[in-house]
Amino acid sequence: MSVLSSPASPTTSPNLGSASGLTCRECGARYPLAPEYACTECFGPLEVSYDFGAVTRESIEAGPTNIWRYRDLLPVPSTVADIPNLEPGWTPLVRAHNLGRELGLRALWVKDDSANPTHSFKDRVVGVALAAAREFGFTTLACPSTGNLANAVAAAAARAGIRSVVLVPADLEQQKIVMTGVYGGTLVAVEGTYDDVNRVASELAGDHEDWAFVNVNVRPYYAEGSKTLGYEVAEQLGWRLPEQVVIPVASGSQLTKVDKAFRELGSLGLVEPTAYRIFGAQATGCSPVSAAFKAGQDVVAPVRPSTIAKSLAIGNPADGPYVLDTCRRTGGLVEDVTDEEIVEGIRLLARTEGIFAETAGGVTVAVLRKLLEAGQLDPDADTVVFNTGDGLKTIDAVAPVVGPAATIPASAAAFTAAGLA
Ligand SMILES: *Cc1c(COP(=O)(O)O)cnc(C)c1O
Ligand SMILES: [Zn+2]
């Protein structure tokens, strides 16, 4: 493997805290820390390994109220909290009494990641990718994106004062295009699906070795950012693990990293290593992992996406097989819901908890409901459902079905006459 593809001098070893190297998830081959993502032996994906020092609840609690409180558990320098960044994370874990009551769940929480700086969970992964990329000497942050990642990369690069290059499918929601373009980087719309955009980005990553494609050449570091969702849920529950979690699946990275976070917390003695079940949620219009789960397969057959849940519309999910492993190992499963159910899920969460989710949140809430109705979730177990994005980014999904009860002339009499009192 070529460390020379890094613009940093190959003789300087990057300062990435307790990260000790990269390990192939398939064959276990070990590599030094570098901007590489595939094993040269077997082409398996590389994952960051650590040599954790002493990390205590107190040392974490003394940190900032953002993802950098967990910096000792991430592939970032220990000084990262002091560098200009968007300070993502530490989003609310909302005790959802109303939604729980309506669904017949004894104890339900919503992890509301719409509260991040660019209103999706992607600020977490981009924050870690940028911190690592900086250590490797990169000066351009790039990505292929289904939308939220584009927002997060463009904003983080602006804040860090570096260039961004973002590629998105041309049919993306207008909100996400505007919310990327406003930050002033290079934004390119590609005619095709996300999987086409991803292929173009992979080719460009080969040609531009001085660009950090957050989810391509620095993907092992980027992916670790999702662990912070798991850490936060456990800390916000009072340093314990939930019993059931429902997580959306696009590439599948987030779901596998929440599991990694729960296991790390247990083995570091920061929580009791109690049992938990992880449930994956997909849109039926892009459900390759759910289909593989139901068919009892270990491999995921690619699909061509067609769903309103565009942030989850990855037809060829890189971490699909690991999602299958994780859900099977923990006793969970993967389920999918139709676009109609997604819209109902968005409205249900908004109506019961005052949280306006994007379509991905509609997917998890609808899957939560479907699994409960099918008896596949324990109604007495402590349950967390993830809302990973903001409904303002996917207005079109609900605009046709919500609106004014009436349009009236400007008088109180007209209000009374409309029968709304
Ligand atoms: C990217 C994204 C996800 C899931 O990401 P993975 O690729 O599975 O890690 C979930 N929700 C939203 C809103 C996203 O933008
Ligand atoms: Zn390998």
Side-chain angles (χ1 to χ4, degrees), residues 73 230-231 234 239 241 261-271:
L73 304 172
Y231 299 146
W239 291 111
L241 302 180
F262 287 172
R263 284 183 287 127
E264 284 175 352
L265 292 177
S267 62
L268 286 166
L270 293 166
V271 300

Side-chain angles (χ1 to χ4, degrees), residues 24 27 39 42:
C24 174
C27 74
C39 176
C42 76

Side-chain angles (χ1 to χ4, degrees), residues 119-122 125 145-149 176 194 219 222-223 226 247-257 282 310-312 314 317-319 323 358-361 364 386-390 393:
H119 309 282
S120 87
F121 112 95
K122 290 295 196 299
V125 280
S145 171
T146 58
N148 284 321
L149 184 58
K176 288 180 185 164
Y194 172 75
R219 185 174 178 84
Y222 159 92
S226 287
I247 304 176
V249 173
S251 73
S253 176
Q254 178 183 134
L255 183 144
T256 64
K257 295 297 179 173
Q282 295 208 294
K310 292 184 182 160
S311 60
L312 303 182
I314 298 185
D319 289 294
V323 169
E358 80 143 82
T359 45
T364 51
F386 284 13
N387 172 39
T388 47
D390 192 322
K393 295 201 204 188

Side-chain angles (χ1 to χ4, degrees), residues 387-410:
N387 172 39
T388 47
D390 192 322
L392 286 172
K393 295 201 204 188
T394 57
I395 286 281
D396 294 351
V398 281
V401 291
V402 297
T407 302
I408 59 169

Side-chain angles (χ1 to χ4, degrees), residues 35-58:
E36 302 284 346
Y37 62 102
C39 176
T40 49
E41 305 289 319
C42 76
F43 300 107
L46 300 180
E47 185 172 38
V48 178
S49 313
Y50 299 86
D51 204 347
F52 291 127
V55 184
T56 62
R57 292 179 182 179
E58 292 69 30

